Amino acid sequence: MAAVARVKVRRPGTGRVIGDRFVGRALRIYLPLLVMLVVTLFPFYWMAITSFKSASELFDFSVSPLWVREPTLDWYRHLFTQTNFPRWAFNTAIVAIASTLISLFCSILAGYSLARLRYRGADTIGWGIFVTYLVPPTLLFLPLTFVIRELHLFNNLWALILTYPTFLIPFCTWMLMGFFKGIPRELEEAALVDGATRIQAMVRIAIPLALPGILAAALFAFTLSWNEFLYALIFMNDSLVKTIPVGVTQELIHGDEFFWGELMAAALLGSVPVAVLYSFFVDYFVAGMTAGAVKG
Amino acid sequence: MASVTYEHVTKKFSTDTTAVDDLSLEIRDTEFMVLVGPSGCGKSTALRMLAGLEDITAGEIKIDDQVVNEMPPRDRDVAMVFQSYALYPHMSVFDNMGFGLKMRGSTRSEITSRVKEAGRILRLDQLLARKPRQLSGGQRQRVAVGRAIVRQPRVFLLDEPLSNLDAMLRVQTRIELQKMHQRLGTTFIYVTHDQVEAMTMGDRIAVMKDGVLQQVAPPREIYDQPVNMYVAGFIGSPRMNFLPVTISDHKAKASGLELNLPKAPGVEHGVLGIRPEHFLPNVSDADAAIDLKVEVLEVLGSDQYLYGKVGSDDLIVRVDPQLKVDIGDRVRLGLDMQRLHLFDAGTEKALF
């Protein structure tokens, strides 16, 4: 009887087979995903719970460190009243927005020109930009320091607004070039024959269609400048002009003394804008607006 | 309304790729001119130079009597329908069709009335608010045509506008385009690789090959008097039979036939050209006859094609579908001497 029953449940379409399939799927897809999620999210979790722990709980090793017993907002209150954190957040926002806008403006023009216009040396310039991107900031900061000093821009937000584009523009240009190349050339040719100038064809046809790419580039540029550390560390010494990454690491760590509560609260707040932006625009990366443009 | 003149126009993409080689062609006002040839023959490049989308390496292009070589596309007052239609995907059908007028500074009310009028002609009235991706292939094609006609341009350029449509829609649209041409009374320049489209639509046909213009003539003349073997083989379906012959004085001798030519061509090696439809079922009153050994039969209902051999040469013949033939049969057919073509085997030029 048992043998018969077993034969029955193994038939395709019966519960057992579906069950097997589900287990197999879980093992092949969900288990690795879960492991990855745990690994990547754990630091964030640690950061979040630490920022809500009271001073006594932080150093109490007799209880599990994975949970908060008495959540408190003390560190946040402290961060906003006792440190320059609000100022750092404001500086970071100004620098990130300004350098992103400058970089986008230049990159849209450069990317479009390299993708569309035929002129002598276009390929070389394209490669040149790519190579520029490969030069590490750790090398570039030496000459840039000299430039910033000559311009008397130390401790001035302009120092960052002007230097961030040195790595943002190559990156965004390269990325947008690909996007512009993906837009069928005929669309702009049709616009040119229809009576548009080159600039009009770009503004009315190419840019709207490259919008997903432009938003993606904007997001990357914003994230890179928001998190940038090296230049901000070198060019900004006055506490009032620091950005979050520099302010947090310089002023919330004194020698070997770590203010863990404020550190974690600041780090959490610093990562919120980027996370919000990503969740808002994630669809834009996926949306292919050119569907239906060509072919019958 | 305008005439278009190509004067010794050459286009080189690099030193060793010549897309169009010394093209001279005059397209008359209100004419429907078809540029036909296989892909890569330079027909699209010729059209794109006229639209201003490609630079001209040498020569001149004139619209009416004005040289347009250096004129930007927007000032040429031509409209173009692209093979891919190139509809603006982020704009509605209405905005797609009105874009050209808007760029030229027409008023909102004028744009509305002209787009609506074109929409009515092309049966797009119900679709004006849609985006291109919500349309079928045939509807997209009509929007592309609509975008061209609302502008009321001097010259219409159409670059393989039917090749993305299925066979039935293609025939239907072909007829609609012809009606459109009659109604608008504007010069049309139409690029295609399809000889049927060329034959049915063109007032005149320009056959191109490897960037070189081969022949310009009305369809009838292209069919009856092709200037060389290339044109003879390109126009007509199935393609013309070519039989290599040796000629001595008036006599031409192929592997499976011998005939007297009406006049001495003065060459030793020639190629005899006979279209499949120009064989005669009755031999008695024909000047020459062949014995075809049938290898393959194709019965299409209206026609019957016999594929076989005469001597060692392959031959395709169209016969009456009622004629009872079997594979392996020997069929005796006459040659219509009036419709025979003879080409020089060396230069491939037509001798008669």
Side-chain angles (χ1 to χ4, degrees):
Chain A
M1 272 317 277
V4 173
R6 252 180 84 182
V7 170
K8 251 186 181 171
V9 289
R10 289 238 167 139
R11 217 175 265 164
T14 59
R16 177 66 184 276
V17 172
I18 290 171
D20 278 353
R21 219 175 266 165
F22 179 75
V23 171
R25 234 177 117 76
L27 280 177
R28 272 181 292 117
I29 300 172
Y30 293 108
L31 190 69
L33 275 179
L34 195 73
V35 171
M36 229 175 78
L37 264 182
V38 169
V39 170
T40 50
L41 286 182
F42 183 73
F44 289 94
Y45 175 72
W46 190 264
M47 177 168 82
I49 59 163
T50 307
S51 72
F52 294 114
K53 282 179 184 171
S54 65
S56 56
E57 197 180 339
L58 267 177
F59 299 102
D60 182 356
F61 298 116
S62 62
V63 293
S64 164
L66 292 176
W67 196 241
V68 198
R69 275 174 303 163
E70 289 158 12
T72 167
L73 287 174
D74 278 354
W75 301 125
Y76 290 90
R77 207 171 297 126
H78 195 245
L79 195 63
F80 278 92
T81 52
Q82 309 295 312
T83 70
N84 280 325
F85 182 81
R87 191 58 198 256
W88 301 336
F90 176 77
N91 292 343
T92 313
I94 293 288
V95 168
I97 291 169
S99 54
T100 299
L101 288 180
I102 293 173
S103 307
L104 270 190
F105 179 76
C106 298
S107 304
I108 288 173
L109 294 178
Y112 180 85
S113 121
L114 290 171
R116 273 292 186 275
L117 310 179
R118 284 176 232 161
Y119 50 89
R120 198 181 289 272
D123 286 343
T124 322
I125 292 171
W127 279 107
I129 286 176
F130 187 60
V131 170
T132 315
Y133 178 60
L134 296 180
V135 177
T138 38
L139 278 182
L140 214 54
F141 89 87
L142 289 169
L144 278 176
T145 308
F146 184 74
V147 172
I148 295 300
R149 194 180 63 209
E150 290 298 301
L151 292 172
H152 303 289
L153 285 177
F154 271 114
N155 285 326
N156 186 328
L157 291 182
W158 277 105
L160 301 184
I161 293 172
L162 292 178
T163 46
Y164 287 179
T166 58
F167 58 88
L168 294 180
I169 290 176
F171 175 76
C172 294
T173 301
W174 197 254
M175 185 166 164
L176 288 175
M177 203 167 98
F179 261 89
F180 283 123
K181 274 185 178 160
I183 297 170
R185 199 181 273 274
E186 294 106 84
L187 293 180
E188 283 161 77
E189 290 178 343
L192 291 179
V193 175
D194 260 355
T197 61
R198 176 58 79 173
I199 296 287
Q200 282 173 321
M202 183 181 113
V203 171
R204 286 172 182 272
I205 310 293
I207 289 183
L209 293 175
L211 208 58
I214 293 172
L215 278 173
L219 201 58
F220 279 116
F222 184 83
T223 314
L224 284 175
S225 15
W226 186 272
N227 294 333
E228 205 280 334
F229 184 72
L230 183 65
Y231 293 167
L233 178 72
I234 297 160
F235 303 147
M236 302 291 143
N237 290 318
D238 186 349
S239 178
L240 285 177
V241 289
K242 283 179 180 165
T243 59
I244 294 177
V246 175
V248 166
T249 47
Q250 283 200 310
E251 308 208 357
L252 299 181
I253 304 172
H254 284 174
D256 57 355
E257 191 184 359
F258 290 74
F259 299 98
W260 285 115
E262 287 106 322
L263 261 179
M264 291 302 161
L268 189 70
L269 288 179
S271 47
V272 164
V274 174
V276 168
L277 273 184
Y278 266 93
S279 62
F280 255 110
F281 292 113
V282 72
D283 286 346
Y284 258 105
F285 303 141
V286 189
M289 271 183 80
T290 47
V294 291
K295 268 203 328 201
Chain B
M1 280 187 277
S3 63
V4 171
T5 315
Y6 289 82
E7 274 174 12
H8 303 289
V9 172
T10 296
K11 172 71 187 180
K12 284 180 196 280
F13 283 110
S14 63
T15 39
D16 42 50
T17 48
T18 305
V20 175
D21 192 0
D22 194 24
L23 171 68
S24 290
L25 178 64
E26 201 179 333
I27 297 143
R28 300 171 196 134
D29 187 19
T30 74
E31 187 172 29
F32 198 125
M33 170 65 83
V34 179
L35 302 183
V36 69
S39 54
C41 73
K43 57 194 190 303
S44 285
T45 308
L47 197 72
R48 291 169 53 84
M49 282 192 283
L50 175 56
L53 299 173
E54 301 283 353
D55 295 332
I56 299 162
T57 311
E60 276 183 351
I61 295 181
K62 290 181 189 167
I63 299 179
D64 283 330
D65 287 321
Q66 190 181 14
V67 177
V68 296
N69 285 31
E70 300 299 326
M71 194 186 272
R74 65 177 179 280
D75 297 331
R76 299 191 184 197
D77 198 12
V78 301
M80 185 154 170
V81 177
F82 290 79
Q83 179 175 3
S84 63
Y85 313 144
L87 303 180
Y88 313 128
H90 56 304
M91 295 185 196
S92 67
V93 169
F94 183 94
D95 289 337
N96 261 283
M97 301 211 310
F99 185 79
L101 295 174
K102 198 167 155 191
M103 288 293 105
R104 284 176 161 69
S106 302
T107 63
R108 190 77 208 163
S109 62
E110 193 186 348
I111 295 175
T112 308
S113 74
R114 298 242 304 252
V115 170
K116 287 227 165 105
E117 165 73 6
R120 199 179 49 71
I121 296 169
L122 292 160
R123 290 174 284 114
L124 292 167
D125 346 28
Q126 307 302 318
L127 307 172
L128 292 177
R130 293 214 193 155
K131 292 279 173 67
R133 63 172 164 276
Q134 299 167 304
L135 302 178
S136 71
Q139 290 166 338
R140 286 179 200 176
Q141 202 273 345
R142 295 210 298 275
V143 175
V145 172
R147 191 169 65 182
I149 66 172
V150 291
R151 293 245 321 271
Q152 304 176 344
R154 289 192 291 176
V155 185
F156 270 93
L157 312 179
L158 302 101
D159 189 359
E160 310 234 7
L162 305 184
S163 54
N164 282 340
L165 300 177
D166 62 51
M168 232 166 71
L169 204 53
R170 196 177 304 170
V171 174
Q172 194 188 328
T173 315
R174 200 168 79 197
I175 295 161
E176 279 173 14
L177 279 178
Q178 282 170 280
K179 284 185 189 156
M180 192 74 70
H181 174 243
Q182 284 159 15
R183 170 190 203 133
L184 297 172
T186 308
T187 313
F188 272 51
I189 305 178
Y190 187 104
V191 162
T192 180
H193 64 269
D194 184 321
Q195 54 104 6
V196 178
E197 279 175 26
M199 290 296 283
T200 50
M201 300 175 86
D203 290 328
R204 283 193 302 156
I205 300 174
V207 184
M208 293 183 70
K209 180 201 175 194
D210 298 336
V212 181
L213 181 64
Q214 306 288 312
Q215 185 173 8
V216 193
R220 190 80 241 174
E221 192 182 324
I222 291 264
Y223 177 82
D224 286 335
Q225 294 149 32
V227 295
N228 58 30
M229 277 176 70
Y230 180 79
V231 175
F234 190 79
I235 301 290
S237 173
R239 132 184 231 270
M240 183 187 276
N241 295 295
F242 293 118
L243 305 175
V245 290
T246 340
I247 302 163
S248 56
D249 198 23
H250 278 64
K251 268 203 176 354
K253 199 168 178 302
S255 62
L257 89 154
E258 212 178 299
L259 52 81
N260 283 314
L261 299 170
K263 60 177 185 220
V267 294
E268 211 173 300
H269 296 284
V271 175
L272 205 58
I274 319 158
R275 294 196 185 275
E277 53 271 35
H278 293 159
F279 289 91
L280 306 169
N282 307 315
V283 182
S284 54
D285 52 357
D287 300 69
I290 56 158
D291 277 313
L292 180 74
K293 187 165 183 294
V294 180
E295 289 171 338
V296 175
L297 279 176
E298 270 182 10
V299 186
L300 303 178
S302 61
D303 291 308
Q304 176 170 227
Y305 292 105
L306 311 180
Y307 294 75
K309 273 198 156 57
V310 172
S312 59
D313 298 312
D314 288 315
L315 211 63
I316 308 169
V317 177
R318 191 186 78 183
V319 294
D320 190 316
Q322 302 303 322
L323 190 71
K324 286 265 179 289
V325 189
D326 277 317
I327 289 169
D329 284 359
R330 279 183 180 281
V331 183
R332 197 165 170 74
L333 296 159
L335 297 181
D336 183 348
M337 289 307 285
Q338 301 302 311
R339 320 208 68 161
L340 224 53
H341 301 272
L342 186 71
F343 303 95
D344 185 323
T347 63
E348 302 201 339
K349 287 213 168 81
L351 297 165
F352 58 78

